[in-house]
Amino acid sequence: MSSGPSIPFTMLFKETVCCSLSLDKSCIFLPSSNCSENKPRISGKLRLSLGQAITVRGISVQVRGIAKLPYDEGIFFQSYHEENTFVTTQPLASSHQQNPFTLPPGDYEFPFSISLDSNLLETITSLGSSYRSYQVLATIKRKWNRNVIVSKPIRIYKRFSIEDSLNWLSALNAIDKQWDDVAQYNVSIPDVNIPFGATFPVKLRLAPLSKRIKLQALTIDVLEQHELRIKAPASYSAQFNVHFLSSKQEHVIFSERHNLDGCISPESEESDLEWCITKAISLPQDLEACTQDVSSNTITIKHHVAFTVELLGVGEGLSMIKGTIPFNIYMSPHVISEHGTVRGLHTDRFHDDYVPPPPLYSKHQNDRLLPMAEALLDSDTLRLDCEQPPENAFFYSPTLDCAPSYETVIQN
């Protein structure tokens, strides 16, 4: 991925044609609404430097989307299903009669701007796999010689919307359990929605319920799971009576083991002890090392935080507590620049005092206006639906009248 539009892709053709392609943006974020006035576009310039005259049949630039999905064929080697997902072309130079024409020696510059569909599929690349990708290709069609083609990759992502966030509201960002009479433990992350490339904490709280338990180590992994399902080719389906082909992979995109020497519970049964340990997870900031969560008919990608707590003193040898917390990685223009560089974001705060968001407008029920007199402010008539006790409600003015005049405030 280019670090900026000032670095063009250049190609020399028999030392007579120097061709370069530069893009104003190499990473495009699609609007979350189809009603957006600003339609996404790919723009840039194609530059030609000719040492001598050449005959061409036309010059054009094209945006092409490609899907390349692997699948397993039993004992056979892994195969790929490849197809174009999007193609749009803009002519840059041609004759009116579509006849070949001659370009004299010199320097040429062809600006272009191509409108994109707001419903394009997102770019998906991870660890050597390029499930969905996009390219900008500039083609110089020649009469007698082979065509000159230069290309540059681009990335297309969708903005993380409120609707996407609501889909994850029911997901828990913590695990709180008790292991028999051994320990009570809680493992949590600050949020289930984490931007790509972010660094965020994992907090372990463990209260031993038995004497002489030793907290040995904490291992944290981030797992990326891929599941692909495509329609089988007609010949393969007829031969093996298989209608769909699938592929599953799992990658570890982060892994750290932390030794926790010295964490030993006392012999006294009356001790109220709780270990609290916080460690950081740093997601890869390489767009080829991991990808976002995806849920479609053909591609499903999920992420989990997997933890392993090692304990000594429970029985003979080493005992372990294991678990996973699912979370969602999303792409954000606040993290990924228009030139494809990633700015690391730190999410440090735990929302211990988290207040649930208000319900959707269609979900509101029994909304009441605040009474206009102090006499009406009692627990029988005042109804709070925000799950707070009435004693936590505070009203500045008992009469809730209009704001005082400026002169009255000055006098007071």
Side-chain angles (χ1 to χ4, degrees), residues 139-409:
T139 303
I140 304 172
K141 296 182 180 180
R142 308 195 66 184
K143 183 178 181 181
W144 307 113
N145 303 89
R146 56 180 185 172
N147 297 338
V148 179
I149 301 176
V150 291
S151 65
K152 294 198 72 172
I154 59 172
R155 292 181 175 271
I156 296 178
Y157 298 111
K158 293 182 179 179
R159 293 178 181 269
F160 190 64
S161 64
I162 297 177
E163 289 79 6
D164 296 328
S165 179
L166 291 175
N167 291 336
W168 281 84
L169 280 181
S170 61
L172 298 177
N173 65 330
I175 291 180
D176 195 346
K177 292 184 177 181
Q178 179 172 327
W179 179 20
D180 297 334
D181 295 328
V182 178
Q184 176 81 30
Y185 64 94
N186 176 282
V187 181
S188 61
I189 58 178
D191 201 342
V192 292
N193 295 311
I194 303 294
F196 181 90
T199 297
F200 61 97
V202 176
K203 181 182 289 186
L204 166 66
R205 290 178 175 174
L206 190 144
L209 303 178
S210 301
K211 298 182 293 183
R212 302 301 298 171
I213 292 180
K214 179 179 180 181
L215 187 56
Q216 178 78 4
L218 171 64
T219 300
I220 303 172
D221 298 322
V222 176
L223 308 178
E224 183 176 275
Q225 298 172 337
H226 297 205
E227 183 173 353
L228 282 70
R229 186 173 183 266
I230 65 174
K231 190 175 181 179
S235 59
Y236 187 88
S237 177
Q239 182 177 0
F240 298 101
N241 194 27
V242 174
H243 300 289
F244 292 93
L245 299 173
S246 63
S247 174
K248 292 184 179 182
Q249 299 180 26
E250 182 174 280
H251 309 292
V252 179
I253 60 176
F254 174 87
S255 182
E256 281 189 358
R257 185 179 187 275
H258 304 276
N259 292 320
L260 304 174
D261 296 333
C263 295
I264 305 176
S265 61
E267 295 185 4
S268 174
E269 295 182 357
E270 298 179 357
S271 175
D272 187 13
L273 176 65
E274 180 184 86
W275 294 312
C276 185
I277 299 159
T278 302
K279 299 298 180 181
I281 290 178
S282 295
L283 296 177
Q285 297 183 12
D286 184 354
L287 291 167
E288 301 291 339
C290 69
T291 190
Q292 73 273 30
D293 277 58
V294 179
S295 179
S296 68
N297 293 332
T298 57
I299 303 175
T300 301
I301 298 179
K302 299 179 180 180
H303 294 89
H304 296 81
V305 173
F307 62 88
T308 301
V309 182
E310 300 177 15
L311 299 174
L312 291 175
V314 178
E316 295 183 0
L318 186 68
S319 300
M320 296 183 182
I321 299 174
K322 293 186 176 183
T324 60
I325 302 176
F327 72 103
N328 172 50
I329 295 180
Y330 66 93
M331 300 302 193
S332 169
H334 301 293
V335 175
I336 305 173
S337 73
E338 60 185 20
H339 305 312
T341 57
V342 179
R343 300 183 290 265
L345 179 68
H346 289 261
T347 304
D348 297 326
R349 286 195 311 122
F350 274 90
H351 304 293
D352 293 331
D353 299 324
Y354 173 72
V355 177
L360 298 176
Y361 184 81
S362 59
K363 299 296 184 180
H364 277 281
Q365 295 179 354
N366 299 324
D367 290 338
R368 294 190 177 186
L369 297 176
L370 290 175
M372 299 303 295
E374 185 179 13
L376 298 178
L377 291 175
D378 57 67
S379 58
D380 294 329
T381 60
L382 177 61
R383 179 172 180 175
L384 298 176
D385 292 326
C386 56
E387 298 181 357
Q388 291 182 344
E391 58 266 24
N392 289 342
F394 175 78
F395 303 97
Y396 177 76
S397 173
T399 59
L400 297 178
D401 286 335
C402 299
S405 65
Y406 176 78
E407 292 78 8
T408 302
V409 173

